[in-house]
Amino acid sequence: MDQGFFLLFAAASVVTALTLVLARNPVHSALALMACFLQISAIFVLLEAPLLAVIQIFVYVGAIMVLFLFVIMMIDVREAVLQRFLPGSNLPALVLLVLLGVEMLVLVLRSDRFSVAEPVATRTGGEVRQLSTTLFADYLLPFEVASVILLAALVGAIVLARKEPE
């Protein structure tokens, strides 16, 4: 049953990722990215990692996607679509995509990590406490530096998306 749900969510995430890449409208691409993030969080739930699923939803779907949609709505969408898709430049990217897909398929089929055996449950319940203690005690400075970098990216996106007064 879990394997069926995993295959369903994995297939849906691949479809939404392809929609993200192939969509002509940037808003549709952003919505497909949000759907892909939701599928990945569902896979985290199946893997019994609820903390990662909640972080995936809060951070990526909640914060980053709002930022993407905010920037997309502020720029001129028609101009961005014309600059994004230049004629004749899609063939090398498509060839690279097919090669990477074949490579991934070969690696998955040759790997013995994807067996039918059930994983051994070694959950003790204290992983969240241990992760939070490690994150906010041992790695507080890198965590704060990442926060400042994300804030600078947000300010930079707003400055770049701002239109000059005429």
Side-chain angles (χ1 to χ4, degrees):
M1 183 79 162
D2 286 341
Q3 187 177 13
F5 279 123
F6 174 78
L7 292 174
L8 176 71
F9 291 136
S13 66
V14 168
V15 168
T16 55
L18 286 173
T19 304
L20 160 73
V21 173
L22 298 175
R24 296 265 182 201
N25 190 342
V27 176
H28 294 163
S29 292
L31 291 175
L33 182 62
M34 185 171 60
C36 187
F37 285 156
L38 288 173
Q39 300 300 322
I40 292 171
S41 69
I43 291 173
F44 283 144
V45 169
L46 287 177
L47 292 174
E48 297 178 3
L51 176 68
L52 290 177
V54 169
I55 289 173
Q56 179 80 18
I57 290 173
F58 284 161
V59 172
Y60 290 110
V61 176
I64 306 275
M65 285 310 302
V66 168
L67 175 66
F68 282 176
L69 286 175
F70 179 69
V71 170
I72 287 171
M73 293 299 181
M74 288 185 69
I75 62 174
D76 187 13
V77 176
R78 281 176 247 118
E79 179 184 328
V81 169
L82 290 176
Q83 290 177 356
R84 182 176 173 193
F85 296 102
L86 298 175
S89 66
N90 294 336
L91 184 62
L94 184 62
V95 170
L96 182 64
L97 176 71
V98 168
L99 285 176
L100 289 175
V102 169
E103 178 186 10
M104 183 179 72
L105 187 63
V106 168
L107 289 175
V108 166
L109 292 177
R110 291 185 59 201
S111 174
D112 58 347
R113 294 190 61 152
F114 298 103
S115 63
V116 184
E118 291 289 323
V120 178
T122 58
R123 305 281 182 209
T124 60
E127 295 91 9
V128 175
R129 177 167 289 154
Q130 182 181 6
L131 175 67
S132 61
T133 302
T134 303
L135 182 64
F136 293 118
D138 299 336
Y139 296 103
L140 182 62
L141 181 63
F143 182 77
E144 292 298 327
V145 168
S147 301
V148 170
I149 290 172
L150 286 174
L151 178 65
L154 174 68
V155 170
I158 291 172
V159 167
L160 289 175
R162 187 179 62 163
K163 292 186 179 183
E164 294 293 325
E166 295 181 23

